[in-house]
Amino acid sequence: MKKKQAGFLLAAAVLFLSMGTGVAAEEARHYVTAAEENYTIDEELLDTLTAEEKKGYLDYMASNIVYDNLTSFDYEYVRNEFTPAFGMLYVTSDEESINSAADHLLEVMQNMEPEGDPESKKIYLWDGENIPTLSTDYTENVDWLCHSAPDFQPYLLEMLIPEDETPKGAVICVPGGDRGAAALNEAYETAVAFNELGYQCFLVQNRQNNYPWSPKESGVDVARAIRYVRAHAEEYRISLDEIAVSGASNGGATCVSSLVYYGDRHSVSEYFPDYVPDELDEISAVPDVFLALYPAVDILNGYSEQRDEDMEKVIDTVEEIPFPPTFLVIGEEDTDRLFEGALQIISACRSQEVPADLHVFEGAPHGFGGLGITTAGQVFENTAVWTELADTFMQNRYAS
């Protein structure tokens, strides 16, 4: 096959670990490392991979090219063409099906061109030399198990309403999973819905709260995003006290981490001794409203899908988490564990006399997203009203 470029190029390179690295040939593994080159769908490399390796490689590359840059591509094409092709690869298991799905995904991606320069649309949250980090052990993305390369830098994407409209506030959208496809239905489509309701929106691409990072690192990225938007409130034509954060699934857990570790009680430097504070650290990282979309938390039984034992050193009970006014939605078909977590959050708000709203949608599963559409394309129309209900909740809070 000929080497093709899919869509556009991003900063980094796909390399093949060879005998020259000091690793025996039979032990050599593919990995992604930092380099001042570009992401490329390399079909010559694909020819050397097993079916499972090919699946992992394309999952990683497609996520980084498209889902990390959703504001640069035609939404209808991403939702109706790219995402089904991506999903088909994800669910296949036998070699013939993987190869067929891979060929189809490549074909779909050949028809994708970005609108403008994707890199210019990213607002990086940290100075590249001063990112709060707990460990530097992550240097190789072996077999593309993580959607983020070792040199990943968290950033925001703006999704703003027209200049001739008066914003009702801001909503910062945090996707679930480990980003990837969840950025489409749990962040981008959430922002689309809130744009239509009159809110300035921001899509966060943060470090994930499990391997290779941690809840502290993912949480500090969200805290930084809130501080950034608040610091630029005048530019975005919003009030300092009308900033909400929306966290879906694992993104909801990340938002809770942000509240626990980086509410006004604690500083970033407490957890990251090598971090050098700047002017943004003087700004509150507490959102004025927390929009919790089926958050992946069960705080009393281990906090999240990945137990965060450090949180138990910071708080003794759920009631100690400084929740802002909280609007929580969950599907009737979600897990018992996440229902328990939702009730814990609402109970904590009640004990603190913090306004809270809880909505359960009949027949809806986990992952129905901002518009009531799962990444697999299943539609749950009854859930699509949640953003309108959240709008009413926010406006009532801001008016009080």
Side-chain angles (χ1 to χ4, degrees):
M1 291 184 177
K2 294 182 179 179
K3 183 176 180 180
K4 297 181 181 178
Q5 294 184 348
F8 71 96
L9 306 176
L10 299 171
V14 178
L15 303 176
F16 186 77
L17 191 59
S18 65
M19 292 179 63
T21 63
V23 179
E26 62 271 21
E27 298 176 353
R29 307 183 80 182
H30 312 297
Y31 69 106
V32 175
T33 188
E36 293 302 318
E37 296 182 21
N38 297 315
Y39 276 157
T40 303
I41 295 292
D42 187 342
E43 295 194 21
E44 292 179 357
L45 173 62
L46 283 176
D47 283 343
T48 71
L49 304 179
T50 66
E52 282 301 317
E53 288 173 334
K54 182 183 296 186
K55 183 176 179 177
Y57 170 64
L58 287 177
D59 181 1
Y60 171 82
M61 296 299 292
S63 292
N64 278 267
I65 290 172
V66 180
Y67 290 129
D68 278 11
N69 298 278
L70 286 166
T71 57
S72 294
F73 290 99
D74 178 73
Y75 163 66
E76 296 294 338
Y77 191 85
V78 171
R79 168 48 88 177
N80 298 322
E81 301 294 338
F82 172 79
T83 296
F86 180 85
M88 184 59 67
L89 176 69
Y90 188 79
V91 300
T92 54
S93 57
D94 64 277
E95 182 175 357
E96 182 178 355
S97 296
I98 290 174
N99 287 332
S100 176
D103 288 342
H104 179 56
L105 179 62
L106 287 170
E107 181 180 351
V108 168
M109 293 183 71
Q110 291 304 304
N111 295 320
M112 300 181 71
E113 290 295 335
E115 299 169 0
D117 175 19
E119 190 65 22
S120 68
K121 299 179 183 180
K122 296 179 181 179
I123 300 173
Y124 286 101
L125 295 173
W126 307 98
D127 178 341
E129 301 300 319
N130 190 33
I131 302 178
T133 304
L134 292 176
S135 173
T136 57
D137 293 340
Y138 179 46
T139 58
E140 298 177 7
N141 191 6
V142 177
D143 288 342
W144 308 287
L145 294 178
C146 177
H147 280 147
S148 302
D151 62 344
F152 172 74
Q153 294 191 33
Y155 59 91
L156 283 178
L157 294 173
E158 296 175 330
M159 295 181 65
L160 308 180
I161 64 175
E163 287 287 334
D164 60 355
E165 296 182 18
T166 301
K168 297 162 71 173
V171 179
I172 298 168
C173 304
V174 185
D178 59 349
R179 300 183 13 256
L184 174 64
N185 78 318
E186 293 182 340
Y188 183 90
E189 291 181 344
T190 298
V192 167
F194 281 116
N195 278 164
E196 293 178 355
L197 291 167
Y199 292 87
Q200 305 282 40
C201 293
F202 304 85
L203 195 163
V204 182
Q205 293 285 12
N206 56 280
R207 290 170 288 181
Q208 61 205 55
N209 63 2
N210 47 36
Y211 178 84
W213 291 292
S214 69
K216 284 192 181 75
E217 289 158 305
S218 63
V220 79
D221 291 344
V222 170
R224 184 74 168 187
I226 295 168
R227 287 179 166 129
Y228 176 87
V229 173
R230 187 164 275 137
H232 294 82
E234 183 176 355
E235 174 186 338
Y236 292 124
R237 301 178 291 127
I238 58 174
S239 298
L240 293 171
D241 55 359
E242 295 181 353
I243 298 172
V245 63
S246 170
S249 189
N250 211 21
T254 292
C255 291
V256 173
S257 295
S258 180
L259 291 169
V260 170
Y261 293 122
Y262 311 106
D264 290 336
R265 305 176 185 179
H266 304 281
S267 68
V268 176
S269 299
E270 285 185 54
Y271 307 109
F272 302 94
D274 295 332
Y275 172 71
V276 180
D278 60 21
E279 63 277 4
L280 280 187
D281 291 290
E282 300 175 7
I283 297 171
S284 173
V286 179
D288 299 294
V289 170
F290 175 26
L291 305 176
L293 187 58
Y294 42 84
V297 295
D298 178 2
I299 302 167
L300 295 180
N301 297 305
Y303 169 61
S304 70
E305 295 301 322
Q306 177 176 350
R307 186 175 180 85
D308 182 13
E309 296 179 353
D310 285 347
M311 184 170 287
E312 298 167 5
K313 303 173 185 176
V314 180
I315 60 169
D316 293 321
T317 66
V318 179
E319 282 71 21
E320 293 182 34
I321 299 176
F323 285 106
T326 297
F327 178 92
L328 195 153
V329 295
I330 191 168
E332 181 188 22
E333 299 300 318
D334 215 317
T335 66
D336 291 343
R337 186 178 184 187
L338 295 198
F339 260 99
E340 179 61 32
L343 294 176
Q344 291 168 18
I345 291 174
I346 297 301
S347 177
C349 289
R350 289 189 63 191
S351 69
Q352 299 173 41
E353 298 184 353
V354 170
D357 234 351
L358 171 63
H359 296 268
V360 179
F361 289 100
E362 179 184 4
H366 190 79
F368 54 80
L371 296 178
I373 311 173
T374 68
T375 53
Q378 296 171 289
V379 179
F380 296 89
E381 293 182 358
N382 61 320
T383 69
V385 300
W386 82 263
T387 51
E388 296 177 15
L389 297 171
D391 173 33
T392 299
F393 181 83
M394 286 188 285
Q395 293 308 303
N396 288 342
R397 303 285 71 74
Y398 300 156
S400 61

